Amino acid sequence: MSFDFDPLMLKRLAQAKSVVVFTGAGVSQESGIPTFRDALTGLWKNFDPNELATLEAFDRQPEIVWGWYEFRRAQLLQCAPNPAHLAIAQLQALQPNVHVVTQNVDDLHERAGSSDVIHLHGSIFQTRCRNCHAPFEYTQTATSVIDAHRASPPPSCPECGGPIRPGVVWFGEMLPEHEWSRAVEVIEQCDVLLSVGTSSVVYPAAELPFTASENGACVIQINPQTTSLDVVADYNLHGKAGEVLTALVSSI
Ligand code: NAD
Ligand code: ZN
């Protein structure tokens, strides 16, 4: 697919001293990972992800929530990075100071070769005790999506017996302090911010592209849909992340 990119935009990207690639669920969509706004299926079809991804839901129905994460981990193990993840890793290899800040809890950026990925919302593969917070080394048992499509009780913490929870940030929870401050630092310093595949509605992460813009960075958004960032972005590239990023990185 060919794109007619603005030459000034390409120049700003190629000459940037520091770039942040800020990603959301849309960057993993072409790998077959549903975004948050996609309807849930099967066992979870009657649940709203906004309600499933909370500590209250886990306390109320741990086996339903843990089962959902078992399913999502199994799904991820069967997926591979897509051209969007690969183009971002290629940009990091081409230019110095390209930082990846993601809201995604998957590991597809790392698997594509990106280094030092800042995970604002944690990782689905890291687990810890819900009560005493002790880290817990968990090996996924269900590797097939079919096997994982069921309610499943979480393991128990060897320290205190509490239930083990996924190491992700749920709605209403604080973001990890260290990741957040690193993200703010790179965002405040960048000359160009690429916002890729995020609906820009989950706060406080959603405010970061706006912060970059206020600090004078050129904001380039890649999303097939319009979002609240459209009015602030210097460039809105409406298309799929894999197609647009592949063309963009090969044009600079
Ligand atoms: P979101 O689901 O709210 O929005 C996804 C955005 O991606 C939408 O604006 C959509 O138009 C866009 N999109 C869809 N397909 C695309 C494509 N092929 N290329 C580019 N853009 C595309 O996701 P969000 O903004 O990341 O926020 C929701 C929360 O969901 C986040 O906190 C995140 O942690 C969590 N989440 C993560 C994953 C994951 O890790 N892969 C998956 C689902 C949800
Ligand atoms: Zn414990």
Side-chain angles (χ1 to χ4, degrees), residues 222-245:
I222 301 171
N223 196 314
Q225 310 285 332
T226 58
T227 74
S228 61
L229 189 63
D230 281 45
V231 287
V232 167
D234 298 272
Y235 300 96
N236 284 297
L237 309 177
H238 289 300
K240 287 184 162 198
E243 292 167 6
V244 178
L245 275 170

Side-chain angles (χ1 to χ4, degrees), residues 10 17 31 36 44 50 61 63 128 147 150 161 197 202 246:
L10 294 176
K17 290 197 182 69
S31 292
F36 231 40
W44 304 280
N50 293 312
Q61 292 180 295
E63 67 292 343
R128 65 170 189 271
D147 284 356
R150 63 166 74 105
V202 179
T246 305

Side-chain angles (χ1 to χ4, degrees), residues 114-241:
S114 277
S115 53
D116 198 19
V117 179
I118 301 173
H119 280 273
L120 290 176
H121 293 161
S123 161
I124 199 167
F125 293 108
Q126 275 166 17
T127 50
R128 65 170 189 271
C129 175
R130 182 257 180 260
N131 294 345
C132 75
H133 313 295
F136 181 82
E137 190 105 4
Y138 176 67
T139 310
Q140 173 88 9
T141 45
T143 47
S144 113
V145 171
I146 303 287
D147 284 356
H149 229 283
R150 63 166 74 105
S152 165
S156 300
C157 171
E159 311 285 330
C160 77
I164 297 300
R165 57 162 288 175
V168 302
V169 178
W170 278 328
F171 290 110
E173 293 186 318
M174 299 285 289
L175 270 54
E177 220 169 284
H178 178 66
E179 306 289 294
W180 176 254
S181 53
R182 284 202 57 220
V184 170
E185 189 186 319
V186 294
I187 293 241
E188 284 180 349
Q189 285 170 5
C190 73
D191 315 306
V192 171
L193 178 131
L194 285 161
S195 174
V196 188
T198 169
S199 59
S200 297
V201 296
V202 179
Y203 278 81
E207 77 196 29
L208 292 173
F210 293 88
T211 306
S213 175
E214 282 158 20
N215 281 289
C218 168
V219 173
I220 304 169
Q221 179 176 223
I222 301 171
N223 196 314
Q225 310 285 332
T226 58
T227 74
S228 61
L229 189 63
D230 281 45
V231 287
V232 167
D234 298 272
Y235 300 96
N236 284 297
L237 309 177
H238 289 300
K240 287 184 162 198

Side-chain angles (χ1 to χ4, degrees), residues 16-177:
K17 290 197 182 69
S18 175
V19 176
V20 168
V21 186
F22 178 69
T23 66
V27 84
S28 297
Q29 189 266 346
E30 288 157 85
S31 292
I33 307 292
T35 68
F36 231 40
R37 316 289 142 196
D38 289 337
L40 297 182
T41 54
L43 179 62
W44 304 280
K45 73 172 181 300
N46 296 322
F47 289 89
D48 175 348
N50 293 312
E51 286 168 20
L52 216 45
T54 64
L55 188 60
E56 290 73 25
F58 182 67
D59 287 345
R60 207 168 42 238
Q61 292 180 295
E63 67 292 343
I64 293 284
V65 175
W66 183 257
W68 184 44
Y69 281 92
E70 283 279 290
F71 166 69
R72 292 178 59 193
R73 281 189 294 259
Q75 195 176 42
L76 261 168
L77 292 172
Q78 293 188 347
C79 290
N82 69 59
H85 300 106
L86 296 169
I88 293 166
Q90 198 189 341
L91 184 63
Q92 279 193 307
L94 281 173
Q95 285 187 212
N97 280 326
V98 178
H99 305 276
V100 179
V101 177
T102 189
Q103 297 165 85
N104 293 346
V105 296
D106 65 48
D107 60 349
L108 294 173
H109 282 304
E110 285 88 348
R111 281 201 256 154
S114 277
S115 53
D116 198 19
V117 179
I118 301 173
H119 280 273
L120 290 176
H121 293 161
S123 161
I124 199 167
F125 293 108
Q126 275 166 17
T127 50
R128 65 170 189 271
C129 175
R130 182 257 180 260
N131 294 345
C132 75
H133 313 295
F136 181 82
E137 190 105 4
Y138 176 67
T139 310
Q140 173 88 9
T141 45
T143 47
S144 113
V145 171
I146 303 287
D147 284 356
H149 229 283
R150 63 166 74 105
S152 165
S156 300
C157 171
E159 311 285 330
C160 77
I164 297 300
R165 57 162 288 175
V168 302
V169 178
W170 278 328
F171 290 110
E173 293 186 318
M174 299 285 289
L175 270 54
E177 220 169 284

